[in-house]
């Protein structure tokens, strides 16, 4: 009901949700009847791997593959041309059929190696414009063993190298999708896109690494959940991956597990929830403790920022009004509720002096709150997602239930159609830093669990495949953002925040060979028929998108070329991440040093003290000393011996017998000696 | 002086005659009340004429005379025809303004077995001395006790002692159904229209977001004003523990553990909840720039929100918490704390002038140094409160009007008129107009006074504005048509103050709210029934990411399936048929026949009358083919 306020002074146009005739949004595309899985969406969903991976073998390194690398090798650009090559003798000159090539990007296989395990595949990307987040330059990129070995012009490369002609196109670091949910169980059902399907879609969109959310059930062990996820991903993923772990509740066990995860398992980011009352939601006190604890561990706190209490009340109200369809979802989660939680999370972060990362920034007000906080110096990062960047919440009012339900995600898409543009502007200006997809695809029948109650609709939209394309289409192609910033928001910033840089997120010597040749001229119409995801419906259905990957290299291998995927499941490696990423923690460390607070040294107050009844009829209005069970605060009754209530030290008035307290009816002379105020 | 004595004698005789008459005709237990009533009547029958003054209301200023009778303003204009024998006050062109309304005081507030040093007599006396002719005190019931009893208690205290008219806010310190009923009857029968809730004081006064939502919703329905004490109590509790651990136990710990962003955060949250529930919001004690900014931003977005800075935040800052003198530092302890930023007072005065902040209170709550010393070894134990009821008007005049920030009309608005509007007492209070109460002051813009505890009317030993020079002071104060301050002499009558009942739905706050209520009717999208396949799912799994069906303890435990749109009736015919479980979804699609939502345990559910059982035993909802 209160949503009206946003537009209440625009008399001419009523908000879509109480306009009389209900439209289904401005860019309604197609209707496929009452049950609208897109026609043909189920066709060619099975991948015939024999067709693609001819003669290819996995070059998967063991999971432990945490190759120790120096993170501070400096900018390697300058010294690449003269680099020495260790020639390998194990190659033969057997020619190999050139793959189908697209216009603009030609792949010439001059020689094919015979090495059966294919690990030392060598590749040269010639004539491309290398675009990093800081600058663009023309240069060749030479790749060996899944690593970038040389960058520059006139590279000296060994013979027998497969050459990819980039023809002046952009060569960018592969995208990093910081937010996917490929195994998020909902009421016992799994999303239709698992690690295989999801990473396939990612690669097809130019994303060469995903960071998935481990979502343990409340009460489940975080470690077990993590292992479950890792096992599944190791088997299925076809691009590198890492994992965030969500913290469903807060207690001592969880703390111990967090420590193990950070120190031994290579996890440096954890999500906490301010929404989902009675399930995942934490109180402010718990959040404060969690923030403090994670800061000590050097982990980044991800926050799902929505006020769960208010949402719960609103949901009940909306259901009580008889609104049970998907439109109830945005109505019960208005954007101020998101902005409020963002504000609170940032306040907590400031108090604890801890970096805060807001996942899924879906509304203007939430984004503005982040931008303002950054202006005040808070260390806060914002992550809009594909859905929020490319479409809006007007679809919740679609007459087609299945379509409306497909958009259900939390926080919801804003019904304000100017939101995507605003978010892109903030991305371009650096107020928002990274783009995720929050890809969590449920089939229509899964969504239909909530057909009579919107609160039961499983939440999640697609977007992993469309992510890079839409940022290009809506920001770069529109002139809002330059190509370097494009690289920053789709890849580099994510690598920095999560301590993967410069292994990921940069084209430089010794970085992983996760590279995309980007074609800004590809025009594609998004449709569920042609997507990699297994979902029947694509929320971007019918949208045109300029820009897309022409060729994708993952771990130094060509995995996508000319619209065809050549992947092998299980090749994705788990990339462990170290705590204390500089990008987030450097400022924090300095602030810690500065902000040590000092008490005032005063003489002991020796004036009269009013007697307080030992069992007070009225309790003090100050916060009680009661502690929450999990906290490490002082015990309920503050022990006077622990506090600096110093009775033991020699005092100037030791010779004067001390009385425990004076009952003062009228202070002698009106004021005591210490109150003679100057 | 002699003139007045004469009056008293005269009227006393008349009064006695009346009283004897009453004694003869009424039961003895009525006599006391009647006595009081007549006593008031007698004093109200004063007739007064103010000549040659410039009347300043919140909308305009003009020269006119004012004639008052029976405590009401009877005539305004030039060359008034008045009865003979009227006492005339020559204003000599000075401003005549409506008496101030201090919308926030804590007189005679109980605290851990003691009370604040200013009781209603002392406090209201200080108020009158400063030009404030009405105060609104906060009733603070202990959590768990009856609001009504606390209200009665406060009424009794105030009726006995107050020297000026008063009204009451009631603080909601806990929330349940009986509190709800009490709030309802307080609004309907007791003349209370404003209720304060706390977002701070964890485990004591603090209410959860859900409770706040319920209270806001309830008060919006009943036409009450929600006042919030906006600070994030949970974070404060954590910060306090941290400060004490760091060994900071002095008053500086108070401000360090309650940084201004916690105030801003809570204000933001309160604004959000109010906006969700479409309820007018009143933020008490705006102490910091950030909190004030949030309020002005919210107002710019169209939220109905009022901010109340207090004398302390308008006149001084929080640097004093670091004073070497413990007693001085402790005297400044109040919550939210004074901001250590010395530019804050100026900023708040500017926002008052621009209208972003609406009213001023004093939050006058004075403790003696000995009382403050309860917390000498632990700042969390220091009783919170500062003085300010007497200094309020002069301080704003000095800081805002003489500096050119604010004009005299705005001065009247924020010291008196706006408060009267919010309390729904306008135009009885807060305006000089025919028919209004004769509460007014002649304001002397030239007098300069130095604030000091030696001369102030409060019983506190220390004045936080000590040594401050203020220009502007009341010359004459008229309360209930009676001169209480003249020639620097204060003549008050303890117990003369009346309780002024406030009615709900003040237009100032509710006009917009009502209009929005009509606009904001939500409608569902009319759709056909979804008849596609539905996945199997199990409710028994603990972790549904959507809001669970579990409800807060205060409400009905589980959504009744019979009330929701979850329709089982259509399938009852199918109940007897065998159930195919685990049928493949794709099959279903290709088969393209009716799929129905079907509950295996339908029989069990229908047999069971207790709705709360449903969610627990609701094991398997499967779709099936017919």
């Amino acid at each position: 009901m209160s949503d009206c306020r946003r537009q209440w002074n625009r008399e001419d146009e009523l908000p879509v949700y109480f306009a009389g005739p209900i439209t289904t949004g401005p860019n309604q595309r197609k209707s496929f009847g009452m049950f609208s899985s897109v026609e043909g969406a189920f066709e060619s969903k099975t991948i015939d791997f024999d067709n693609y991976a001819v003669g290819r073998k996995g070059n998967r390194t063991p999971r432990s593959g945490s190759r120790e690398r120096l993170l501070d090798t400096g900018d390697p650009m300058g010294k690449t041309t003269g680099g020495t090559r260790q020639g390998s003798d194990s190659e033969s000159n057997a020619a190999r059929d050139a793959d189908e090539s697209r216009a603009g990007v030609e792949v010439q296989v001059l020689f094919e190696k015979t090495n059966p395990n294919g690990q030392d595949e060598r590749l040269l990307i010639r004539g491309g414009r290398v675009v990093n987040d800081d600058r663009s330059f023309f240069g060749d990129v030479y790749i060996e063993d899944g690593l970038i070995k040389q960058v520059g012009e006139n590279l000296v490369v060994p013979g027998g190298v497969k050459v990819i002609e980039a023809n002046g196109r952009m060569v960018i670091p592969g995208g990093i999708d910081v937010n996917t949910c490929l195994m998020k169980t909902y009421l016992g059902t799994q999303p239709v896109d698992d690690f295989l399907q999801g990473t396939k879609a990612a690669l097809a969109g130019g994303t060469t690494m995903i960071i998935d959310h481990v979502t343990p059930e409340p009460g489940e062990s975080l470690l077990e959940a993590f292992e479950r996820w890792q096992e599944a991903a190791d088997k299925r993923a076809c691009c590198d991956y890492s994992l965030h772990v969500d913290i469903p509740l807060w207690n001592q066990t969880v703390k111990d597990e967090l420590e193990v995860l950070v120190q031994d398992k290579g996890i440096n980011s954890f999500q906490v929830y301010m929404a989902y009352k009675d399930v995942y939601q934490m109180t402010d006190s718990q959040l404060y403790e969690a923030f403090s604890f994670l800061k000590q561990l050097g982990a980044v706190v991800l926050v799902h920022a929505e006020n769960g209490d208010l949402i719960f009340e609103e949901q009940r109200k909306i259901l009580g009004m008889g609104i049970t369809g998907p439109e109830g979802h945005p109505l019960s989660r208005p954007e101020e509720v998101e902005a409020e939680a963002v504000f609170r999370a940032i306040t907590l972060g400031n108090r604890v002096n801890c970096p805060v990362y807001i996942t899924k920034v879906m509304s203007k007000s939430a984004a503005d709150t982040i931008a303002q906080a950054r202006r005040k110096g808070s260390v806060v990062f914002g992550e809009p997602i594909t859905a929020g960047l490319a479409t809006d919440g007007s679809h919740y009012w679609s007459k087609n239930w299945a379509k409306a339900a497909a958009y259900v995600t939390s926080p919801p898409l804003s019904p304000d159609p100017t939101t995507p543009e605003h978010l892109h502007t903030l991305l371009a200006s650096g107020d928002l830093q990274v783009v995720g997809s929050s890809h969590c695809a449920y089939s229509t029948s899964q969504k239909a669990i909530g057909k009579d109650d919107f609160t039961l609709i499983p939440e999640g939209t697609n977007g992993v495949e469309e992510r890079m394309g839409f940022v290009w289409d809506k920001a770069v192609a529109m002139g809002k953002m330059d190509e370097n910033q494009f690289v920053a928001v789709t890849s580099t910033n994510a690598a920095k925040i999560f301590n993967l840089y410069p292994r990921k997120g940069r084209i430089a010597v010794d970085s992983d060979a996760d590279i995309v040749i980007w074609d800004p001229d590809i025009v594609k119409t998004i449709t569920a028929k042609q997507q990699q995801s297994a979902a029947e419906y694509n929320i971007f259905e019918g949208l045109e998108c300029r820009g897309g990957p022409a060729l994708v290299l993952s771990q130094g291998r060509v995995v996508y070329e000319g619209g065809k995927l050549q992947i092998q499941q299980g090749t994705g490696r788990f990339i462990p991440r170290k705590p204390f990423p500089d990008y987030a923690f450097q400022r924090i460390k300095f602030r810690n040093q500065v902000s040590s607070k000092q008490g005032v040294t005063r003489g002991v107050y020796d004036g009269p003290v009013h007697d307080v009844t030992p069992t007070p009829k009225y309790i003090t209005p100050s916060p009680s000393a009661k502690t929450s069970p999990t906290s490490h605060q002082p015990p309920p009754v503050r022990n006077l011996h622990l506090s600096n209530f110093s009775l033991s030290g020699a005092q100037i008035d030791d010779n004067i017998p001390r009385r425990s307290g004076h009952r003062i009816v009228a202070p002698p002379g009106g004021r005591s000696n210490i109150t003679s105020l100057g | 002086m002699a003139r007045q004595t004469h009056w008293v004698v005269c009227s006393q005789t008349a009064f006695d005659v009346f009283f004897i008459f009453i004694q003869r005709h009424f039961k003895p237990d009525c006599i006391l009340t009647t006595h009081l009533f007549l006593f008031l009547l007698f004093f109200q029958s004063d007739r007064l004429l103010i000549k040659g003054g410039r009347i300043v209301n919140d909308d305009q200023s003009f020269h006119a005379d004012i004639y008052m009778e029976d405590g009401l303003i009877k005539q305004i204009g030039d060359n008034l025809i008045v009865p003979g024998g009227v006492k005339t006050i020559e204003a000599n062109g000075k401003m005549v303004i409506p008496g101030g309304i201090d919308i926030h005081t804590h007189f005679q507030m109980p605290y851990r077995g003691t009370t604040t040093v200013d009781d209603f007599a002392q406090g209201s006396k200080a108020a009158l001395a400063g030009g404030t002719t009405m105060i609104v005190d906060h009733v603070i019931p202990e959590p768990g006790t009856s609001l009504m009893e606390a209200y009665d208690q406060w009424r009794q205290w105030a009726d006995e002692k107050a020297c000026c008219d008063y009204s009451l806010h009631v603080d909601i310190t806990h929330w349940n159904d009986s509190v709800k009923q009490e709030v309802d009857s307080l609004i309907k029968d007791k003349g209370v229209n404003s209720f304060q809730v706390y977002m701070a004081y964890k485990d004591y006064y603090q209410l959860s977001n859900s409770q706040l939502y319920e209270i806001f919703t309830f008060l919006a329905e009943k036409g009450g004003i929600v006042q919030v004490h906006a600070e994030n109590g949970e974070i404060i509790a954590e910060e306090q523990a941290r400060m004490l651990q760091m060994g900071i136990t002095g008053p500086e710990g108070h401000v360090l553990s309650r940084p201004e962003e916690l105030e801003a955060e809570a204000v933001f949250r309160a604004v959000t909840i109010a906006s969700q529930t479409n309820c007018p919001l009143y933020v008490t004690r705006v102490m910091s720039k950030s909190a004030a900014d949030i309020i002005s931003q919210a107002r710019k977005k169209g939220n109905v929100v009022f901010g109340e800075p207090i004398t302390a935040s308008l006149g001084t800052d929080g640097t004093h918490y670091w004073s070497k003198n413990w007693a001085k530092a402790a005297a400044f302890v109040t919550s939210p704390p004074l901001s250590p930023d010395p530019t804050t007072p100026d900023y708040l005065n500017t926002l008052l002038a621009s209208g972003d902040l609406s009213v001023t209170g004093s939050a006058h709550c004075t403790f003696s140094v000995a009382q403050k010393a309860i917390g000498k070894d632990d700042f969390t134990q220091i009783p919170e409160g500062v003085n300010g009821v007497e200094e309020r008007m002069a301080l704003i005049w000095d800081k805002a009007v003489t500096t050119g920030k604010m004009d005299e009309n705005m001065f009247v608005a924020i010291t008196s008129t706006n408060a009267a509007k919010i309390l729904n007492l306008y135009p009885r209070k807060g305006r000089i107009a025919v028919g209004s109460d004769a509460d007014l002051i002649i304001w002397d813009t030239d007098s300069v006074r130095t604030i000091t505890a030696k001369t102030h009317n409060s019983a506190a030993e220390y004045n936080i504005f000590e040594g401050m020079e203020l220009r502007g002071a009341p010359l004459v104060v008229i309360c209930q048509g009676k001169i209480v301050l003249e020639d620097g002499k204060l003549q008050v009558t303890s117990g003369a103050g009346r309780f002024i009942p406030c009615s709900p739905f003040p237009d100032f706050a509710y006009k917009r709210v009502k209009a929005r209520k009509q606009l904001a009717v939500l409608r569902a999208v009319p759709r056909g029934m979804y008849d596609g396949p539905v996945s199997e799912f199990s409710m028994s799994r603990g972790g549904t990411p959507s809001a669970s069906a579990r409800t807060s303890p205060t409400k009905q435990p589980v959504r009744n399936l019979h009330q929701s749109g979850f329709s089982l009736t259509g399938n009852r015919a199918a109940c007897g048929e065998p159930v195919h479980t685990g049928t493949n979804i794709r099959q279903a699609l290709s088969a393209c026949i009716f799929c129905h939502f079907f509950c295996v345990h339908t029989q069990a559910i229908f047999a069971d009358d207790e709705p709360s059982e449903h969610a627990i035993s609701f094991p398997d909802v499967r779709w099936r083919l017919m």
Side-chain angles (χ1 to χ4, degrees), chain A residues 1-2 5 186 276-277 285 288 314 327 336 344 350 398 445 455 600 602 610 621-622 645 670 674 677, chain B residues 111 201-202 210 213 234 239 252 261 265 275-276 323 325 370 377 380 461-462 520 525 527 535 545-547:
Chain A
M1 70 192 266
S2 43
R5 210 151 303 142
Y186 177 78
Y276 305 119
K277 187 176 177 181
S285 304
Y288 186 96
E314 291 280 323
E327 69 277 13
E336 341 175 55
R344 188 147 43 99
N350 288 347
S398 164
S445 64
T455 64
V600 176
R602 294 189 180 90
H610 202 284
S622 78
F645 183 93
I674 199 163
L677 305 146
Chain B
Y111 175 80
Y201 305 118
K202 189 181 173 187
S210 311
Y213 186 97
E234 303 215 355
E239 291 275 306
E252 68 278 13
E261 28 178 8
E265 188 281 316
S275 154
Q276 284 317 301
S323 164
N325 181 331
D377 301 307
T380 63
E461 301 120 300
Y462 184 68
V525 177
R527 294 188 181 92
S535 279
S546 80

Side-chain angles (χ1 to χ4, degrees), chain B residues 125-320:
Chain B
K125 193 176 145 194
L128 287 169
T132 296
T133 54
M134 177 175 180
I135 57 130
V136 189
D137 205 75
H138 277 270
V139 175
I140 310 183
E142 278 298 297
T145 61
S146 156
L147 266 59
M148 200 57 89
E149 279 168 26
Y151 167 84
D152 289 338
Q153 179 67 68
W154 254 261
R155 276 295 302 275
Q156 192 194 326
W157 285 334
D159 282 339
E160 270 169 24
K161 292 187 170 177
C163 324
C164 66
D165 287 352
Y166 72 97
S167 192
L168 295 171
H169 306 296
V170 176
D171 293 9
I172 299 175
T173 48
H174 62 295
W175 184 246
N176 55 38
D177 278 340
S178 75
V179 173
K180 205 168 167 176
Q181 279 162 13
E182 288 188 318
V183 168
D184 195 24
S185 59
L186 281 169
I187 294 176
K188 278 189 189 136
D189 312 326
K190 301 290 183 178
V192 176
N193 80 349
S194 43
F195 297 86
Q196 173 157 317
V197 293
Y198 291 86
M199 298 170 86
Y201 305 118
K202 189 181 173 187
D203 299 334
Y204 192 50
Y205 292 150
Q206 186 177 325
L207 298 173
S208 72
N209 289 339
S210 311
Q211 289 171 325
L212 292 176
Y213 186 97
E214 280 179 32
I215 293 171
F216 280 44
T217 312
F218 182 71
L219 286 177
E221 225 172 84
K222 301 290 175 191
I225 302 279
V226 178
Q227 303 189 310
V228 287
H229 176 114
E231 279 184 296
N232 188 317
E234 303 215 355
I235 306 182
I236 289 172
E238 301 282 339
E239 291 275 306
Q240 283 180 334
R242 191 163 71 97
M243 288 303 148
L244 289 172
Q245 258 173 7
M246 288 164 75
I248 298 177
T249 56
E252 68 278 13
H254 181 72
V255 65
L256 290 174
S257 63
R258 306 176 100 104
E260 67 176 77
E261 28 178 8
L262 301 191
E263 189 191 346
E265 188 281 316
V267 172
F268 197 103
R269 187 147 40 97
V271 167
T272 307
I273 299 174
S275 154
Q276 284 317 301
T277 50
N278 194 18
C279 172
L281 178 73
Y282 179 105
V283 180
T284 58
R285 294 200 246 203
V286 177
M287 304 298 277
S288 66
K289 282 178 165 183
S290 4
D293 278 341
I294 301 282
I295 291 171
S296 62
Q297 268 173 34
R299 286 174 69 89
K300 255 148 228 158
K301 283 185 194 153
N303 292 318
V304 182
V305 49
F306 306 105
E308 166 211 281
I310 64 170
T311 321
S313 63
L314 291 167
T316 182
D317 60 58
T319 52
H320 303 283

